[in-house]
Amino acid sequence: MYRYDEFDHAMVKDRVEQFRGQIARRMAGDLTEEQFRPLRLQNGLYLQLHAYMLRVAIPYGQLNAVQMRKLAHIARTYDKGYGHFTTRQNIQYNWPKLSQVADILDELASVEMHAIQTSGNCIRNTTADQYAGVTADEIEDPRIYAEIIRQWSTFHPEFTFLPRKFKIAVSGAVGADRAAVRFHDIGLFIVKNDAGEVGFEVWVGGGLGRTPMIGKKIRGFVAKADLLAYLEAVLRVYNMLGRRDNMYKARVKILVHETGTEEFTRLVEKEFEDTQGGALDLPAEEIDRIAAYFQPPAYEALSDDPPALTARRFEDKDFNNWVRVNVARHKAAGYAIANISLKPVGVPPGDVTADQMDAVADIAETFSLGGIRVTHEQNLVLPDVRQDQLYDLWLALREQGLADANLDHIGDIICCPGLDYCSLANARSIPIAERISQRFADLERQYDIGELRLKISGCINACGHHHVGHIGILGVDRKDQEYYQITLGGAPGEDAAIGTKVGAAFSAAEIVDAVETVVNTYLAIRQPKERFIDTFRRVGDAPFKESLYDKAA
Amino acid sequence: MMQQVVTGNRLADGVVIYLGQDGGWTSKIDAARVAADADEAKLLEDIAKAAEKARMVVGPYLIEVTDTAGAVTPVRYRERLRAYGPSVHPEFGRADVPDHLRMGSEAEFVHLNGVAG
C-alpha cells in the first residue's frame, strides 16, 4: 500500500497542530462557533445529536493491520468502544470529545491517517473497488489512480470552496462495478481503447440525495497522462458554473442536468484545451512511482480448490455456505478474497467493537498478508487469503461473531446512522435494519431468496443509498411519527438504476411486514434462476403494489 | 402556550445539556428549568445566549416539553432521542431514564409510535 513520504508526514502533522491551535482558541473564546464550524468540518469533525462525530478518511478503503489496531485503540480510549464503517469506505466515531480531538488526530497521524477531505465543499476522499489489485476481472489497479487523485486533490487551493461536496470513485474492473461508480460526481472506469492503450472512461453528474441521478458518460477515453488535466477541467467548469444560490441544486449533477450533457461536455473539452499538456501532465515515471507502492505481494505457486478446502466444504455445511456466499475469486491461483460481513443479525450495520477491530487486525496478519479493505456496503475484505487457510480463517472469524454468510443477501443491509445519531435525519434507520435482519435471520431462507440488495436511509440525503437498493427504504417524518417509503428496482452497479416509489409510506410498526410482503410476492412469481431484480424488471411494480396495497379489496 | 426548556450541546464534549433550575447547565432533563409562558421562555433564551458567549454551550434553542410532577419529557421524538440517548446500543443510553421512556432494542413497536403515547 501507499506509504507517506516526508511531504505527506509534514503536511498532516502541520494540519493537526493547526487544528489543535484552533480548538484551543475556540475553547478560550477567541473563535465563535460560527468561525470555528468551517474549521472543524475541514478536519472531519461534526456536531451531531448526542455529541461530536469524527469521520476518519480511509483512502480508497485500504487499511493495514497496524492502522486497524490504532482505530481500535481510539475507539477504546476516546470513544465508547465502537467504530462505525460508512458507505464511503470511511470510519466514524460517534462520541469523541472536542478537548481530545487533536490527540486523536495525532494518534491517527502516527499511522499515516487523518480526517482531511471527510467534510466540507471540497473534493472528498476518493473511493475505489474494494477488490482492487486482487480481482481477475481488472484491467489495472484503480488504487494507483485513486492515490494520484488523493495527492492532487488534497488542499487543492482552487477547489477548497466548491459549490458543494465532490466525490470521485475509480474502478478498474471489466463488467462489474463494485464501487457504485455511476453515482458519483465523477466516476472513472479504467478502459482500453482500440489501440490497446489504457486510459479512463469519464462519467459526470451521478449522485443520490434528494435528486438521484445516474452519471452521464462525457468521454470514452482519457489518456493516463491527461487524467489530472481532464479532472481539473471538469472541476473548473463546475467551480465556475455550479449553483451557489441553492444548496439543494449545487451538486454537479444539477449543473450537468440543467446545462445538458452535450453543452457541459463542450465546456469541459474547451477547458481541457488549456489544462492539457501543462503542469498537470502526469508523467509515466510518476505513475510508475506510485504504482510501485501497489505491487502485488509475492504469491506462492498454489492451485485452486486444494483438497483440504474441498474436503472441509463437503464436511461442514456452514463453512461451505460462507465460502459460496462471502468468498470471491482471486487473480492468483490458490488464493481467495474473503468478505467479512459486518451485518450480524440484530446489530447496527457497519458497527464494530474495538475488540473486533483488534481481532480483524490479528486475523489479517495471520491470513491476509496484513491487508484489509473497507467496502461501501459497510463490510470488510481480506484481499489475500490462501484457499487452504480459508477454513482456519472462518473459525477465527466465527469466534469474533464476524462469520455471517449473508453477503449481498437480504441480511446484508446498507444503513445510514439515521435519527439515532444524525442531526439531519427525519427517522431512525438502524432499528428498522435490525428488525428486518431479525425477521430474515434464517440463512436458508436468505439463500432461497437469493441476491437482494436492501438499503435504508433515514432522510432524503440518502447516505444509506436507498435509491439504488433492489428494495430501498426511506424514513420520513409525518407529524412527529416515523414513516417509511419503499422504493423498488434500484441497482448500484453495472446495471445502474434508480428505484421508484411503490406507493404510500408505512408506519414503523408496518414496515418490516411490508418488506416481507414484497419478498413473498417475488418468491411467488419468480421464474427459475431469477433474482429479485430480474423479476422486478420483468414484471414491473404492479404485482408488488397489489400485494402491498390491495389487501382490503 | 406549551411549556419549554432550553437545550444545546456542551462545547467541550458535545454532551446534550439543558439550562437548569439553578441557572447552571445539566445533562438531566428533569432538572431543567421549565418556562411556562413566553416571557419566561424569552428570559431562558437570553440566559442561554450569554452562556453561548461564555463557551458553555453550542447552539442553544428552545424545545417543547410536558412537565408532569417533575418528570420533564420532550414532546418531539427527536428531542426524546437527544434526552435519553440513541435507541440502539442500549449501553449508550442514559442510566437515569425512566423505564417507560426507554427506547431499547425495541422488540415492541409501541416505542416507535411515540414513547410517551
Side-chain angles (χ1 to χ4, degrees), chain A residues 53-87:
Chain A
M53 180 268 278
L54 182 68
R55 183 180 292 154
V56 178
I58 303 176
Y60 35 90
Q62 178 161 3
L63 286 168
N64 60 32
V66 173
Q67 291 171 322
M68 186 63 107
R69 280 196 196 97
K70 180 61 80 175
L71 294 176
H73 166 75
I74 290 169
R76 201 174 279 123
T77 312
Y78 302 94
D79 205 282
K80 299 195 181 200
Y82 275 87
H84 175 77
F85 287 104
T86 75
T87 54

Side-chain angles (χ1 to χ4, degrees), chain A residues 27 52 351 420 428 435, chain B residues 11 55 77 87 89 109 112:
Chain A
M27 306 276 276
Y52 291 99
D351 272 19
D420 278 303
R428 288 177 303 156
R435 283 166 45 215
Chain B
L11 174 66
R55 307 180 309 279
Y77 191 77
S87 67
H89 287 305
F109 300 142
L112 282 158

Side-chain angles (χ1 to χ4, degrees), chain A residues 229 232-234 236-237 240 266-276:
Chain A
E232 188 113 347
V234 175
R236 217 168 254 190
V237 170
M240 286 188 293
R266 193 188 64 78
L267 291 167
V268 170
E269 292 293 332
K270 191 161 170 293
E271 200 62 49
F272 183 49
E273 286 169 18
D274 288 341
T275 56
Q276 188 180 21

Side-chain angles (χ1 to χ4, degrees), chain A residues 94-233:
Chain A
N94 283 314
W95 310 92
K97 297 178 171 69
L98 178 63
S99 51
Q100 295 185 321
V101 166
D103 294 343
I104 298 175
L105 294 173
D106 261 335
E107 298 250 23
L108 288 168
S110 73
V111 294
E112 306 186 359
M113 294 182 81
H114 57 66
I116 298 159
Q117 290 178 292
T118 61
S119 181
N121 295 336
C122 63
I123 300 169
R124 296 284 185 93
N125 186 32
T126 298
T127 54
D129 179 358
Q130 65 267 21
Y131 293 176
V134 291
T135 179
D137 60 9
E138 191 171 80
I139 293 174
E140 257 188 54
D141 190 336
R143 292 173 301 171
I144 300 163
Y145 303 97
E147 175 56 30
I148 288 168
I149 291 168
R150 185 190 74 82
Q151 297 192 16
W152 159 79
S153 64
T154 304
F155 304 145
H156 193 307
E158 193 180 336
F159 305 136
T160 307
F161 296 101
L162 294 166
R164 199 76 175 78
K165 58 189 169 186
F166 202 93
K167 299 171 180 177
I168 303 175
V170 198
S171 170
V174 178
D177 172 4
R178 285 176 286 261
V181 171
R182 291 169 181 82
F183 293 99
H184 284 73
D185 296 285
I186 293 180
L188 297 170
F189 289 105
I190 298 173
V191 293
K192 264 195 182 133
N193 66 5
D194 294 343
E197 297 161 321
V198 174
F200 301 89
E201 185 180 278
V202 183
W203 294 62
V204 176
L208 299 169
R210 67 183 56 214
T211 317
M213 290 186 181
I214 300 176
K216 313 288 184 296
K217 188 164 102 176
I218 66 163
R219 213 175 210 258
F221 190 83
V222 172
K224 284 184 188 181
D226 294 332
L227 174 65
L228 296 184
Y230 201 81
L231 293 179
E232 188 113 347

Side-chain angles (χ1 to χ4, degrees), chain A residues 277-521:
Chain A
L280 288 165
D281 218 23
L282 194 53
E285 50 274 20
E286 179 60 11
I287 297 175
D288 291 343
R289 187 180 73 83
I290 301 294
Y293 288 109
F294 299 99
Q295 283 309 302
Y299 293 116
E300 294 173 54
L302 303 168
S303 317
D304 277 334
D305 306 311
L309 171 65
T310 313
R312 288 291 188 189
R313 290 187 68 169
F314 182 75
E315 290 160 10
D316 191 325
K317 186 161 128 282
D318 291 344
F319 171 64
N320 184 49
N321 280 336
W322 180 78
V323 172
R324 193 173 50 80
V325 172
N326 283 44
V327 174
R329 184 63 58 188
H330 194 285
K331 69 178 183 188
Y335 285 82
I337 304 168
N339 285 274
I340 302 174
S341 165
L342 300 181
K343 317 294 172 61
V345 173
V347 171
D351 272 19
V352 187
T353 66
D355 290 352
Q356 285 177 321
M357 287 189 238
D358 275 337
V360 167
D362 292 348
I363 286 168
E365 273 174 346
T366 308
F367 294 101
S368 185
L369 309 173
I372 303 159
R373 310 281 176 83
V374 184
T375 81
H376 87 269
E377 287 101 350
Q378 303 174 284
N379 293 316
L380 299 176
V381 170
L382 298 174
D384 292 305
V385 182
R386 282 175 56 144
Q387 291 177 15
D388 57 9
Q389 294 184 343
L390 279 169
Y391 186 72
D392 290 341
L393 165 64
W394 178 71
L395 291 176
L397 288 172
R398 200 172 58 166
E399 209 167 299
Q400 300 298 329
L402 293 170
D404 286 78
N406 60 7
L407 198 80
D408 297 340
H409 288 67
I410 196 167
D412 181 13
I413 299 169
I414 285 189
C415 179
C416 72
L419 190 57
D420 278 303
Y421 294 98
C422 178
S423 33
L424 299 173
N426 293 318
R428 288 177 303 156
S429 48
I430 295 171
I432 304 301
E434 289 179 339
R435 283 166 45 215
I436 291 171
S437 76
Q438 284 161 344
R439 178 72 60 93
F440 291 93
D442 177 1
L443 275 179
E444 288 306 323
R445 187 182 177 199
Q446 288 197 38
Y447 299 150
D448 177 41
I449 294 163
E451 185 194 334
L452 205 165
R453 313 289 185 104
L454 194 144
K455 303 176 197 285
I456 307 174
S457 305
C459 81
I460 199 151
N461 292 299
C463 297
H465 294 197
H466 66 278
H467 296 297
V468 294
H470 294 171
I471 299 175
I473 296 174
L474 167 64
V476 292
D477 171 56
R478 283 227 195 109
K479 294 184 188 157
D480 206 35
Q481 298 282 319
E482 296 167 298
Y483 277 84
Y484 296 89
Q485 286 175 355
I486 291 184
T487 55
L488 296 175
E494 201 64 11
D495 55 348
I498 290 163
T500 48
K501 203 172 100 178
V502 73
F506 296 89
S507 72
E510 297 164 328
I511 184 65
V512 180
D513 290 340
V515 168
E516 192 164 34
T517 300
V518 169
V519 170
N520 288 341
T521 305

